[in-house]
């Protein structure tokens, strides 16, 4: 299994996170890490970062497209191979400690 990290910009609306986690459950993805941060500049927008275990890359890409089609999702990106992942995770670790 390969671990993938997905980030999504979402609207701060009631039930958005619940609906998105329902999609992860429906597609039987094991969530290893979940972090949601509200932007200080735009309080109506949050950034959600999720690390999941993936077996089938094609199924995963279809899943990312399905998340992107959700009403309160503004943008979804697979950032597994991006350079800024370590910086973002260390920032999240700082916030939590």
């Amino acid at each position: 299994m390969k671990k993938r990290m997905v980030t999504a910009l979402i609207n701060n609306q009631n039930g958005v996170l619940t609906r998105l986690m329902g999609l992860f459950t429906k597609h039987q993805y094991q969530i290893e890490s979940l972090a949601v941060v509200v932007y200080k500049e735009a309080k109506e927008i949050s950034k959600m970062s999720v690390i999941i275990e993936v077996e089938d890359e094609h199924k995963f890409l279809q899943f990312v497209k399905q998340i992107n089609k959700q009403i309160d999702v503004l943008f979804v990106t697979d950032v597994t191979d991006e350079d800024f992942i370590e910086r973002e995770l260390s920032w999240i670790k700082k916030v939590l400690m």
Side-chain angles (χ1 to χ4, degrees):
M1 272 194 212
K2 185 175 181 183
K3 293 182 183 176
R4 307 291 289 191
M5 183 172 183
V6 178
T7 62
L9 293 179
I10 57 176
N11 286 325
N12 284 339
Q13 300 291 329
N14 290 337
V16 174
L17 190 58
T18 303
R19 280 199 317 271
L20 291 177
M21 291 304 104
L23 286 176
F24 283 91
T25 303
K26 177 182 174 185
H27 291 276
Q28 299 177 345
Y29 282 116
Q30 181 67 35
I31 297 173
E32 185 173 301
S33 175
L34 170 66
V36 181
V37 179
V38 177
Y39 279 112
K40 290 181 182 177
E41 298 83 20
K43 299 229 185 260
E44 67 275 357
I45 297 174
S46 292
K47 182 174 186 178
M48 177 182 77
S49 299
V50 182
I51 298 176
I52 58 174
E53 294 181 359
V54 175
E55 291 180 12
D56 182 4
E57 291 293 318
H58 178 70
K59 182 181 169 187
F60 171 72
L61 293 175
Q62 296 292 33
F63 176 65
V64 170
K65 288 179 185 177
Q66 186 175 8
I67 291 173
N68 204 28
K69 290 180 183 178
Q70 298 298 308
I71 293 172
D72 288 314
V73 174
L74 305 173
F75 188 73
V76 178
T77 308
D78 176 15
V79 294
T80 304
D81 300 324
E82 300 291 329
D83 292 335
F84 63 87
I85 291 175
E86 288 182 30
R87 183 180 68 215
E88 185 174 45
L89 288 176
S90 66
W91 181 77
I92 291 170
K93 193 180 279 186
K94 259 187 182 177
V95 170
L96 294 176
M97 293 187 160

